[in-house]
């Protein structure tokens, strides 16, 4: 069974629907890239998948052992968040909060998980640094380590390379690709069409008039991709 199966979703808020008739599924090991023009509903879809925004219509089913608190999330950063006055360690360990249950303190298990994911992201040497003093690329690695502390199954990323320079952007995309090859399922929202067709296994184009879901090759063979190339 799919990790997430969505049928005829309607997305929006109390003041109206922003997208409708969206159907797709995400299976273990997929790398799904969600693309579309501004205002098409991409970020609203992310928030709906994370249960941060109520579903306005249709059905969303989680399966294959996935639960809502096993999804890691890397949101778009705001200027306020980039200036957050906490240590790298404090930010990363906050990603283990869903695993604490009713326990009020971090235990050995949580601390070992933090160390593992900081080493995985090559930021262990920054553990005592103040987050606000890091470069943009380092901050994204910190937030990614935090998200990985919440999941070993599914990671959702919303425009993760916004504001990064070209070299760091490529390194970050390669890092996400490596995580996917290690078995982590990826859902990523991106404006970068070239990155989508380079790294993703599946493409979801969210559009008010002509949405698309399929493999990367099916997208490359479609008229939609030809329209992007023009």
């Amino acid at each position: 069974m799919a990790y997430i199966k969505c049928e005829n979703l309607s997305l929006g808020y109390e003041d109206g629907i922003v997208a409708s008739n969206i159907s797709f599924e995400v299976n273990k090991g997929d790398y799904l890239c969600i693309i579309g023009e501004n205002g098409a509903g991409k970020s609203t879809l992310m928030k709906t998948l994370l249960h941060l925004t109520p579903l306005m219509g249709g059905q969303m089913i989680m399966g294959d052992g996935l639960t809502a608190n096993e999804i890691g999330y890397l949101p778009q950063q705001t200027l306020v968040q980039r200036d957050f006055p906490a240590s790298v360690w404090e930010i990363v360990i906050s990603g283990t909060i869903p695993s604490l249950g009713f326990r009020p303190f971090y235990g050995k298990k949580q601390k070992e998980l933090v160390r593992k994911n900081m080493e995985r992201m090559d930021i262990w040497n920054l553990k005592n640094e103040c987050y606000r003093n890091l470069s943009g690329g380092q901050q994204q690695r910190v937030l990614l380590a935090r998200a990985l502390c919440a999941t070993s199954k599914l990671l959702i990323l919303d425009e993760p390379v916004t504001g990064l320079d070209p070299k760091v952007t490529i390194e970050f995309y390669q890092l996400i690709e490596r995580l996917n090859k290690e078995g982590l399922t990826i859902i990523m929202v991106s404006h970068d069409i070239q990155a989508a067709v380079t790294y993703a296994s599946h493409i979801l184009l969210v559009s008010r008039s002509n949405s698309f879901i399929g493999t990367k090759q099916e997208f490359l063979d479609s008229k939609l991709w030809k329209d992007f190339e023009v």
Side-chain angles (χ1 to χ4, degrees):
M1 186 177 181
Y3 268 165
I4 299 176
K5 185 173 183 178
C6 298
E7 297 179 344
N8 299 316
L9 298 190
S10 292
L11 310 172
Y13 305 93
E14 291 183 358
D15 56 351
I17 301 294
V18 298
S20 59
N21 299 319
I22 297 175
S23 298
F24 66 97
E25 63 180 47
V26 180
N27 294 285
K28 184 177 181 180
D30 283 354
Y31 187 151
L32 174 67
C33 195
I34 301 174
I35 59 176
E37 61 188 12
N38 289 334
K42 301 186 302 299
S43 291
T44 305
L45 175 57
M46 290 295 92
K47 293 174 183 177
T48 302
L49 294 177
L50 291 160
H51 301 280
L52 300 175
T53 298
L55 185 60
M56 304 301 287
Q59 188 175 33
M60 182 173 68
I61 303 169
M62 287 188 177
D64 204 9
L66 181 71
T67 60
N69 65 356
E70 293 178 303
I71 299 175
Y73 179 43
L74 182 60
Q76 292 188 52
Q77 273 208 89
T78 66
L79 290 175
V80 171
Q81 290 168 331
R82 290 192 181 100
D83 202 38
F84 196 67
S87 73
V88 168
W89 173 269
E90 289 170 329
I91 288 177
V92 177
I93 202 169
S94 68
T96 68
I97 288 175
S99 70
L100 292 178
F102 294 105
R103 292 169 295 175
F105 303 107
Y106 300 115
K108 181 178 179 180
K109 179 180 177 182
Q110 284 76 33
K111 293 176 182 178
E112 284 299 317
L113 182 61
V114 169
R115 182 185 182 99
K116 170 188 171 184
N117 284 314
M118 290 179 72
E119 290 177 342
R120 200 176 178 187
M121 295 297 102
D122 197 25
I123 56 169
W124 179 246
N125 62 314
L126 302 175
K127 60 183 180 297
N128 295 321
E129 296 292 325
C130 182
Y131 176 78
R132 71 199 304 179
N133 296 332
L134 302 182
S135 68
Q138 289 171 330
Q139 287 187 346
Q140 284 300 81
R141 284 177 178 259
V142 170
L143 295 179
L144 184 53
R146 179 184 183 275
L148 291 172
C149 284
T151 187
S152 61
K153 295 182 177 180
L154 174 63
L155 178 65
I156 293 179
L157 308 100
D158 192 358
E159 299 285 358
V161 300
T162 300
L164 302 184
D165 67 48
K167 180 177 182 294
V168 175
T169 292
I170 292 172
E171 290 174 349
F172 201 78
Y173 280 140
Q174 291 173 340
L175 181 57
I176 300 303
E177 182 184 36
R178 189 188 82 201
L179 292 173
N180 179 243
K181 288 180 177 179
E182 290 174 356
L184 192 65
T185 303
I186 304 293
I187 301 176
M188 181 175 72
V189 169
S190 179
H191 281 101
D192 189 342
I193 305 301
Q194 192 57 53
V197 298
T198 299
Y199 299 104
S201 64
H202 294 75
I203 305 289
L204 171 61
L205 171 64
V206 179
S207 171
R208 295 176 186 273
S209 60
N210 195 17
S211 294
F212 169 92
I213 178 65
T215 66
K216 174 173 64 178
Q217 191 57 54
E218 288 170 341
F219 179 71
L220 291 172
D221 291 338
S222 71
K223 182 180 181 298
L224 293 168
W225 170 243
K226 292 178 175 62
D227 291 341
F228 276 110
E229 287 187 300
V230 173

